[in-house]
Amino acid sequence: MGNSECRDELLLQFVDEKVLRAFNAIASSEDVVPQPEDVLAVTEIFCLGNSKNCGSFIIDATKSEGEERLTQSFRKNLKLLVEKTWVEASDVTVKDQVLYRIDKLCQKLAAGDYANCYRDFISVLVDVVYLMFGAQAKKEDFAEYALRIDPEFGIFWWYLHSLPRERTWGNDKCRTVILLGMYFLSNY
């Protein structure tokens, strides 16, 4: 059984086939905006039980009030998460840098240039997870560990981890991918 088959089998213990297909479609290398049903499948799992079709504004490519509120909520919640995370003395500088980078990232996101924010977005989130979990976050089995200790966060980590580290898409697909990540973290 291949690595992706093992990953999919494990993930299917926590999500249904529809969500797994959506993750794979969204993370594909094609520069095609995900289908609305894939976006809604992911937002429903990322809603954390709030409501159905909770992120439908993500499907609409026009800048909306919902998108602006999401950016504000993402910034506030992510900064609060980092500020409240206890870190080793050796990571205090990393924590300060991440807080600064969150502000800069959100300023760029508010301008709507998602393609140029993509790499920073992924990098900031990986660093936030490192601050939360320490060296464990860099271990090969962290995705499975995250699923077992906190399935909601673990599903998000699988989503984030399935995305390419470097941008390979245009602004529209980057927008959808980033807004989905922001959506989870705004509700977490």
Side-chain angles (χ1 to χ4, degrees), residues 124-178:
V124 164
L125 294 187
V126 167
D127 288 347
V128 168
V129 172
Y130 167 76
L131 291 172
M132 291 170 59
F133 292 94
Q136 178 70 35
K138 295 188 181 218
K139 291 184 178 179
E140 193 171 314
D141 66 345
F142 179 68
E144 182 175 351
Y145 172 81
L147 272 172
R148 303 270 185 225
I149 64 163
D150 183 349
E152 292 169 340
F153 176 79
I155 292 166
F156 169 73
W157 182 252
W158 278 97
Y159 168 78
L160 183 66
H161 196 65
S162 71
L163 300 173
R165 294 294 167 248
E166 297 295 326
R167 177 180 63 89
T168 60
W169 310 308
N171 200 62
D172 291 339
K173 184 165 183 181
C174 286
R175 174 190 174 271
T176 301
V177 167
I178 289 171

Side-chain angles (χ1 to χ4, degrees), residues 3-188:
N3 193 24
S4 68
E5 290 173 356
C6 288
R7 177 197 75 111
D8 291 354
E9 188 175 304
L10 177 63
L11 195 54
L12 285 170
Q13 293 177 27
F14 298 90
V15 300
D16 62 27
E17 288 274 344
K18 174 179 80 170
V19 174
L20 180 61
R21 277 193 309 272
F23 277 11
N24 291 334
I26 290 167
S28 80
S29 61
E30 293 180 43
D31 187 15
V32 176
V33 176
Q35 294 296 311
E37 59 270 13
D38 291 334
V39 173
L40 290 176
V42 174
T43 58
E44 286 175 13
I45 200 85
F46 284 177
C47 272
L48 308 175
N50 292 340
S51 67
K52 295 286 185 192
N53 297 333
C54 38
S56 57
F57 70 89
I58 296 171
I59 295 167
D60 183 6
T62 58
K63 187 92 167 158
S64 68
E65 186 177 312
E67 192 170 330
E68 290 174 24
R69 282 194 316 266
L70 177 62
T71 301
Q72 292 168 2
S73 177
F74 168 77
R75 180 184 171 275
K76 182 180 82 179
N77 288 356
L78 197 58
K79 285 188 76 162
L80 184 61
L81 180 65
V82 171
E83 288 168 352
K84 298 294 180 186
T85 299
W86 180 87
V87 297
E88 298 286 341
S90 60
D91 287 331
V92 170
T93 301
V94 174
K95 183 176 180 175
D96 292 340
Q97 290 171 346
V98 168
L99 289 168
Y100 174 79
R101 289 171 49 217
I102 290 168
D103 284 334
K104 292 298 177 195
L105 173 63
C106 289
Q107 288 171 0
K108 291 179 187 177
L109 289 170
D113 189 4
Y114 292 97
N116 287 323
C117 293
Y118 180 83
R119 187 170 189 242
D120 290 339
F121 178 77
I122 298 293
S123 176
V124 164
L125 294 187
V126 167
D127 288 347
V128 168
V129 172
Y130 167 76
L131 291 172
M132 291 170 59
F133 292 94
Q136 178 70 35
K138 295 188 181 218
K139 291 184 178 179
E140 193 171 314
D141 66 345
F142 179 68
E144 182 175 351
Y145 172 81
L147 272 172
R148 303 270 185 225
I149 64 163
D150 183 349
E152 292 169 340
F153 176 79
I155 292 166
F156 169 73
W157 182 252
W158 278 97
Y159 168 78
L160 183 66
H161 196 65
S162 71
L163 300 173
R165 294 294 167 248
E166 297 295 326
R167 177 180 63 89
T168 60
W169 310 308
N171 200 62
D172 291 339
K173 184 165 183 181
C174 286
R175 174 190 174 271
T176 301
V177 167
I178 289 171
L179 290 179
L180 285 169
M182 289 170 57
Y183 191 79
F184 174 80
L185 290 165
S186 296
N187 290 295
Y188 187 63

